[in-house]
Amino acid sequence: LMPRDLQGEHILVTAGPTEEPLDPVRFITNRSSGKMGLAICKRAQIRGAEVTLISGPLKAEPPNGIRHIRIRTALEMRDRVLEEFPRASAVIKAAAVADFRPASLERDKIKKDGMEPTIVLTKNPDILAELGRTKRPDQILVGFAAETRDVLENGRSKLKNKNLDMLVLNDVSKPGAGFDCDTNIVRFLFRSGEEEQMDIMSKEKVADLILDRVIRLRSKTE
Ligand code: C5P
């Protein structure tokens, strides 16, 4: 029987992709299914945490009994995350937030009889980096990174630049890892410099291992 070892914790989870509109009927998105974030919500709830999920469109239903805030764009996600952040003891940012959005939103549907359109993109704010700049010492910040090249180097610099306590690195170029599958292959990187490489396992198992480490990190802040 799993102990309710997250009782008293308020875990804020983000999951899924964001949608960045171009015109009233079109948007740019990515392949995130939200499965990793949902697995974290499920396990955190079973282990006694109060869970708030902020997500884009998901390919599966969130567990009953958690608070679910639905958003579409990265800018909406930013607003809601910043609003919820002060109440959270830990934030686990599993969402695949779009790094860019169309620079302008066309009021009417773009027609095909005109010239071929050029889509100009602009950078979205990095929500996790913003949390890293404003977090309290008692708040644990966990980020995800999906890399296809220079996986470790990119992960280590992300951990540092975003001021995270922990980074979950997945090498999405490996079969059985990353987007839209039920398993993952991850490596945990910690602020302390410690690193742990995990074998292939279910996303629920990964979720439990992440939550174990969140508890350990939280206990060091008290
Ligand atoms: O830098 P990169 O986007 O790869 O970092 C991934 C991590 O940062 C994820 O935890 C993701 O949820 C978060 N992120 C964010 N805001 C963005 C982009 C990524 O919070 N605009």
Side-chain angles (χ1 to χ4, degrees), residues 14 74 77 92-100 124-129 131 142-147 158 162 164 167:
T14 71
M77 176 169 285
I92 305 181
K93 282 217 93 233
V97 183
D99 292 326
F100 304 99
N124 273 327
D126 190 317
I127 305 164
L128 191 52
L131 299 183
V142 182
F144 275 72
E147 297 289 345
K158 239 166 240 187
K162 300 193 190 210
L164 308 180
L167 184 85

Side-chain angles (χ1 to χ4, degrees), residues 111-128:
K111 302 293 287 177
K112 69 176 168 198
D113 34 290
M115 282 205 301
E116 283 170 345
T118 300
I119 299 171
V120 179
L121 300 176
T122 188
K123 251 192 185 158
N124 273 327
D126 190 317
I127 305 164
L128 191 52

Side-chain angles (χ1 to χ4, degrees), residues 6 20 48 54 57 80 86 103 107 113 115 118 133 150 179 187 217:
L6 282 167
E20 308 298 328
I54 303 180
R80 301 314 302 268
R107 201 183 327 177
D113 34 290
M115 282 205 301
T118 300
R133 285 192 290 272
D150 302 330
F179 292 121
R187 188 179 181 102
L217 292 166

